[in-house]
């Protein structure tokens, strides 16, 4: 990934006067700076920012006295945390064994062609973000896709594409 000035903002220190940081700080104090509150604090930060900027992760780690490597490890381990800004509409394709066998890859391939993005990417207009999950725990619904927190069971590439088009209001 190339570094741009857009990414530079993530490396600046957080401002204590920022009300978002104040809210996170209040939660850290509420949890009495306990290290085992890390996941709850990360959830709050992501709810506030829409994703987890690096400078916020450093702030949380510093306040909880947790090494940055451990904070980053937790964030990258759990699928529901994101280090990148989220799109307006999220699409998560399950690629677990049951879903893969029943056509998850064809759904991914179709969406990649249709929207020009691969898993982990967002369309240039920030309307659609595509992710893949190792397992959604919905094996009986395979292939399963989650669009904006709604599970679509026994999904087909065309059905998913049409649902996304309806949400973004674009025709292609």
């Amino acid at each position: 990934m190339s570094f741009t000035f857009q990414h530079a903002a993530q490396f600046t220190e957080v401002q204590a006067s920022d009300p978002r940081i104040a809210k996170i700080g209040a939660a850290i104090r509420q949890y009495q700076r306990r290290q085992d509150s890390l996941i709850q604090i990360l959830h709050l930060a992501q709810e506030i920012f829409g994703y987890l900027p690096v400078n916020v992760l450093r702030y949380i780690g510093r306040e909880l006295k947790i090494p940055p490597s451990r904070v980053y490890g937790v964030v990258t381990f759990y699928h529901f945390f994101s280090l990148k800004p989220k799109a307006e509409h999220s699409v998560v394709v399950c690629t677990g064994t049951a879903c893969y066998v029943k056509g998850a890859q064809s759904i991914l391939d179709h969406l990649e062609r249709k929207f020009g993005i691969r898993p982990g990417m967002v369309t240039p207009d920030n309307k659609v973000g595509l992710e893949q999950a190792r397992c959604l725990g919905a094996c009986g619904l395979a292939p399963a896709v989650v669009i904006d927190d709604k599970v679509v069971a026994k999904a087909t590439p065309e059905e998913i594409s049409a649902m996304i088009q309806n949400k973004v209001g674009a025709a292609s």
Side-chain angles (χ1 to χ4, degrees), residues 37-76:
S37 67
L38 176 61
I39 291 177
Q40 290 92 331
I41 301 298
L42 291 171
H43 275 297
L44 174 64
Q46 183 161 290
E47 181 181 310
I48 291 169
F49 285 91
Y51 72 109
L52 295 169
V54 172
N55 59 348
V56 174
L57 294 179
R58 288 194 330 223
Y59 168 77
I60 292 168
R62 188 172 56 247
E63 292 297 309
L64 294 177
K65 296 188 180 358
I66 297 174
S69 58
R70 185 164 150 224
V71 175
Y72 184 79
V74 169
V75 169
T76 57

Side-chain angles (χ1 to χ4, degrees), residues 67-170:
S69 58
R70 185 164 150 224
V71 175
Y72 184 79
V74 169
V75 169
T76 57
F77 179 80
Y78 291 104
H79 176 75
F80 43 78
F81 290 130
S82 176
L83 293 167
K84 295 181 275 185
K86 298 266 185 180
E88 193 175 314
H89 300 285
S90 69
V91 180
V92 181
V93 179
C94 179
T95 56
T97 304
C99 290
Y100 188 84
V101 167
K102 295 203 173 192
Q105 189 61 52
S106 66
I107 294 170
L108 274 175
D109 293 343
H110 180 81
L111 295 177
E112 288 177 29
R113 282 190 308 275
K114 181 87 173 170
F115 296 99
I117 55 173
R118 295 184 312 276
M121 295 176 70
V122 175
T123 55
D125 62 3
N126 248 16
K127 294 281 187 186
V128 179
L130 179 60
E131 297 288 337
Q132 68 183 44
R134 291 184 195 115
C135 184
L136 294 174
C139 302
L141 306 176
V145 176
V146 178
I147 300 176
D148 293 340
D149 299 323
K150 179 181 180 255
V151 178
V152 180
K154 300 180 186 329
T156 66
E158 295 76 18
E159 172 189 24
I160 297 302
S161 181
M163 290 176 80
I164 296 167
Q165 289 292 340
N166 286 337
K167 285 192 173 280
V168 298

